[in-house]
Amino acid sequence: MSAEQLLTHVNKLPTVPKVVHELMTSFQEEDVETARIAGLIETDPVISAKVLRMANSAYFHRSRSIGSIGDAVMHLGFERVRNLVVGCGLVGSMQTPPGMDKPTFWRHAVYTAVASRELAKLGSASGPSEEVEPEMAFAAGIIYPVGELLMRWAQPMELFQLDGAEPYCTPARAEAERKQLGFDFASTSALLAEHWHFPEELAAGLKAAGDPDNAEPFSALGAIVAVGSVLAAASVIRMEPPVNGYTLNRVGIRIDQVWSLPPINELSNGLENMLLES
């Protein structure tokens, strides 16, 4: 089976909520009206309620209560609210295959998103390398592992066999999948992003993230998400993160800057638990 053939199993994954799809297309818009975006989010009452709970949580350290989606967009910023909606929509709609630990899977996704955003901030502050917008990095990070879900629905036995040698949240997982299957979860996530008509930059970054140093052309977004996933894995399974200094150098980040970051689980501040709330 090829990566493209996996899409014949896409019906195993629920449709991405309409509000998520429409907000993802807004990455290409320069001027976005708060009222229009708030109105769009409010069309999905489940996601709206969850976004408001998170907007009022300790994660954002708000000194005043946020009572509406319009307030959330105004005080937190459109990019942050958009990513909360994307996170809520994906976690709420994606079913994890039998045998997969749902909290661990999404914790790794959220940690990857948070770590990628912090790395993008470091990159943009470090000089003239290709700049990655931090909130784009967050969105890419939370979508990055979703291809693993589709692969498991389509080829459960092959993926189960891989788990014993290389758990899905370890840095070497993508390489192990390429050797055994000919493709990896990163390229599958990219196919899904294209299938959902997400921004081209995001899909290209996801595809490159499985092997960023050999991707042609080089994708700074892919490199940042790849390193973010390594840091996330270190937090989720408590391993020593094998961060690639060469990859970091290509996006203008020094290794000492990475080690100076607070622990990823502290930066997430329980965000994954809030996303998993029903």
Side-chain angles (χ1 to χ4, degrees), residues 227-247:
V227 176
S229 180
V230 171
L231 296 177
S235 293
V236 171
I237 63 176
R238 294 176 174 81
M239 57 173 280
E240 186 68 27
V243 175
N244 189 325
Y246 173 71
T247 306

Side-chain angles (χ1 to χ4, degrees), residues 1 7 30 37 43 70 122 131 134 137 141 155 160 178 188 196 211 213 228 247 259 262 267:
M1 182 179 292
L7 289 180
E30 293 184 3
I37 294 303
T43 62
L122 290 178
E131 187 170 331
Q155 297 180 286
F160 178 77
R178 288 194 298 274
T188 306
W196 292 326
D211 190 14
D213 293 325
T247 306
W259 301 142
L267 288 170

Side-chain angles (χ1 to χ4, degrees), residues 22 86 107 147 185 207-208 217 223 251:
E22 295 196 22
V86 171
R107 182 174 299 113
F185 70 88
K207 184 176 182 179
V251 291

Side-chain angles (χ1 to χ4, degrees), residues 6 24 28 42 73 76 80 89 106 140 197 214 228 254 273:
L6 286 175
M24 288 302 293
Q28 283 118 348
E42 287 166 351
V73 176
L76 300 181
R80 275 186 166 181
W106 286 113
H197 304 291
N214 293 309
R254 301 189 315 274
N273 292 329

Side-chain angles (χ1 to χ4, degrees), residues 156-178:
M157 291 307 300
E158 291 88 339
L159 275 294
F160 178 77
Q161 290 169 2
L162 268 178
D163 288 343
E166 204 61 63
Y168 65 82
C169 61
T170 59
R173 177 66 180 217
E175 182 180 0
E177 290 176 346
R178 288 194 298 274

Side-chain angles (χ1 to χ4, degrees), residues 32-244:
V32 183
E33 295 181 3
T34 299
R36 180 173 74 84
I37 294 303
L40 178 62
I41 296 170
E42 287 166 351
T43 62
D44 191 312
V46 174
I47 289 179
S48 294
K50 186 170 283 191
V51 166
L52 282 177
R53 287 203 303 272
M54 287 192 286
N56 284 291
S57 71
Y59 181 73
F60 291 107
H61 309 289
R62 298 300 307 164
S63 59
R64 59 180 295 275
S65 176
I66 293 177
S68 69
I69 295 296
D71 280 348
V73 176
M74 184 169 297
H75 291 283
L76 300 181
F78 165 60
E79 291 82 4
R80 275 186 166 181
V81 173
R82 175 178 55 200
N83 282 334
L84 288 180
V85 171
V86 171
C88 290
L90 289 178
V91 176
S93 65
M94 298 290 115
Q95 298 296 315
T96 49
M100 175 172 270
D101 184 338
K102 180 177 180 178
T104 298
F105 178 84
W106 286 113
R107 182 174 299 113
H108 179 255
V110 172
Y111 283 9
T112 299
V114 170
S116 298
R117 179 169 56 196
E118 295 303 313
L119 290 168
K121 290 177 183 177
L122 290 178
S124 63
S126 297
S129 63
E130 178 187 344
E131 187 170 331
V132 174
E133 204 275 314
E135 294 304 326
M136 172 69 88
F138 184 98
I142 206 164
I143 297 167
Y144 180 51
V146 170
E148 185 77 25
L149 299 180
L150 181 57
M151 291 171 67
R152 284 176 180 270
W153 282 116
Q155 297 180 286
M157 291 307 300
E158 291 88 339
L159 275 294
F160 178 77
Q161 290 169 2
L162 268 178
D163 288 343
E166 204 61 63
Y168 65 82
C169 61
T170 59
R173 177 66 180 217
E175 182 180 0
E177 290 176 346
R178 288 194 298 274
K179 287 180 178 178
Q180 180 159 325
L181 305 173
F183 54 89
D184 58 35
F185 70 88
S187 58
T188 306
S189 296
L191 282 174
L192 285 171
E194 292 170 352
H195 177 75
W196 292 326
H197 304 291
F198 287 176
E200 291 181 8
E201 177 189 354
L202 187 143
L206 291 172
K207 184 176 182 179
D211 190 14
D213 293 325
N214 293 309
E216 292 293 344
F218 176 75
S219 167
L221 176 59
I224 279 174
V225 171
V227 176
S229 180
V230 171
L231 296 177
S235 293
V236 171
I237 63 176
R238 294 176 174 81
M239 57 173 280
E240 186 68 27
V243 175
N244 189 325

